[in-house]
């Protein structure tokens, strides 16, 4: 598959062509909107050219530009799982199901995240928007799916399949293509490796479930992983790194683990 990565402040969105339509995967933080427009422009695509936006999960750094995108292109269909639909209404990342940051080193680095995002986007909001996003209620033209679903069944002219890959969050899904390319959102990552992430994203709700989803992707023929954080990597890394992080090392939000 030919994906065009759109590198934002922290998140990488992906763009691909499905016959007549452009499909965007994820949107970035709300503060990324000018940057997302610029990246789309660099790819020769305007927001009004997008037919679909697929959400890999409900987190603030993936759905932040949704309101702006839909306001500019009301014809776009937002594609989301049933669980994502529910979680988008809350306007806040779900931390009610346990889990935490992957280890102490990451927990330390995350304290500076707000400033890092400000550095990349050029705006430091007055109040801390951390973990929050503008709530979104699915419209009649949006597409809500349950469980494993082929894109063609949703009216998207592509041979990709949406597969639930929970663990990072309860609603995480990946998009798997027949050749083994997969867009995983945060179901795997290549970020802050020096701090011992071992291809895990920095926050994990349920580490055992996270690794189970890696196993699922591998069993379904995943060959090349395109994460929302970091650069693409070979799926064999998932096999190598399974179990390298321990649930005992998770650092919960608010001191909770
Ligand atoms: Zn996430």
């Amino acid at each position: 598959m030919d994906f065009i990565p759109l590198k934002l402040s922290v998140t990488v969105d992906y763009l691909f062509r499905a016959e007549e339509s452009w499909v965007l995967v994820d949107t970035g933080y709300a503060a990324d909107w000018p940057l997302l427009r610029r990246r789309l422009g660099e790819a020769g695509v305007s927001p009004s050219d997008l037919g679909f936006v697929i959400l890999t999960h409900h987190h603030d750094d993936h759905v932040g530009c949704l309101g702006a995108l839909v306001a500019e292109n009301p014809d776009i269909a937002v594609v989301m799982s049933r669980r994502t639909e529910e979680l988008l209404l809350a306007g806040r990342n779900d931390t009610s199901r346990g889990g935490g940051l992957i280890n102490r080193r990451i927990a330390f680095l995350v304290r500076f995240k707000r400033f890092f995002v400000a550095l990349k986007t050029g705006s430091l909001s007055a109040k801390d928007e951390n973990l929050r996003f503008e709530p979104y209620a699915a419209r009649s033209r949006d597409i809500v799916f349950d469980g494993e679903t082929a894109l063609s069944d949703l009216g998207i002219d592509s041979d990709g399949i949406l597969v639930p890959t929970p663990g990072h969050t309860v609603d995480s899904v990946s998009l798997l293509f027949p050749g083994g390319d997969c867009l995983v959102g945060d179901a795997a990552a290549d970020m802050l490796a020096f701090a011992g992430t071992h291809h895990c994203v920095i926050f994990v709700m349920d580490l055992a479930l996270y690794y189970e989803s890696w196993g699922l992707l591998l069993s379904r023929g995943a060959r090349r992983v395109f994460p929302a954080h970091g650069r693409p990597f070979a799926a064999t890394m998932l096999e190598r790194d399974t179990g390298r992080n321990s649930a005992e090392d998770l650092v919960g939000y608010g001191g909770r683990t």
Side-chain angles (χ1 to χ4, degrees):
M1 269 300 289
D2 287 327
F3 304 120
I4 302 172
L6 307 178
K7 202 168 182 311
L8 306 179
S9 65
V10 173
T11 314
V12 182
D13 294 349
Y14 291 93
L15 190 63
F16 67 93
R17 187 87 186 160
E19 296 296 332
E20 298 302 302
S21 303
W22 281 106
V23 181
L24 176 68
V25 178
D26 289 332
T27 77
Y29 281 118
D32 280 328
W33 178 235
L35 192 53
L36 175 55
R37 288 188 60 111
R38 189 157 54 142
R39 294 288 185 248
L40 285 168
E42 287 163 2
V45 175
S46 85
S48 58
D49 295 330
L50 297 170
F52 303 90
V53 55
I54 297 174
L55 303 177
T56 61
H57 63 295
H58 73 286
H59 274 170
D60 55 344
D61 55 329
H62 295 254
V63 308
C65 298
L66 207 48
L69 193 58
V70 167
E72 180 144 342
N73 175 6
D75 293 331
I76 197 169
V78 183
V79 180
M80 68 194 104
S81 73
R82 180 78 56 201
R83 288 202 130 136
T84 300
E85 180 194 23
E86 289 162 19
L87 291 164
L88 284 179
L89 295 170
R92 193 177 199 292
N93 291 8
D94 174 28
T95 54
S96 71
R97 291 172 167 84
L101 296 160
I102 202 79
N103 62 35
R104 281 171 178 276
R105 281 171 286 170
I106 290 295
F108 175 78
L109 291 169
V110 161
R111 285 190 215 147
F112 301 100
K113 189 185 75 173
R114 184 175 167 230
F115 298 100
F116 178 75
V117 172
L119 199 71
K120 290 290 191 83
T121 61
S123 76
L124 181 61
S125 59
K127 68 178 182 350
D128 190 355
E129 303 285 354
N130 202 16
L131 307 183
R132 292 183 183 278
F133 53 86
E134 187 188 337
Y136 182 81
R139 306 160 304 156
S140 58
R141 69 170 301 107
D142 293 337
I143 299 169
V144 179
F145 63 92
D146 276 308
E148 184 171 321
T149 306
L151 291 185
S152 57
D153 288 342
L154 303 177
I156 304 174
D157 212 344
S158 161
D159 51 10
I161 297 175
L162 289 157
V163 184
T165 46
H168 168 59
T169 58
V170 74
D171 64 324
S172 294
V173 297
S174 295
L175 184 50
L176 190 58
F177 291 89
D181 284 345
C182 51
L183 300 176
V184 299
D186 289 355
D190 186 23
M191 68 187 305
L192 305 174
F194 65 91
T197 48
H198 303 301
H199 293 102
C200 289
V201 76
I202 58 172
F203 169 81
V204 174
M205 175 196 76
D206 182 326
L207 195 57
L209 199 53
Y210 197 71
Y211 288 138
E212 229 174 84
S213 291
W214 285 10
L216 177 78
L217 288 170
L218 288 165
S219 74
R220 296 294 299 271
R223 290 170 63 89
R224 193 143 180 84
V225 177
F226 293 77
H229 302 289
R231 297 163 65 89
F233 58 91
T236 49
M237 294 291 111
L238 301 182
E239 207 165 355
R240 187 196 71 180
D241 284 349
T242 295
R244 287 186 77 183
N245 283 298
S246 162
E248 286 164 19
D249 294 332
L250 294 181
V251 180
Y253 285 107
R256 204 166 40 82
T257 46

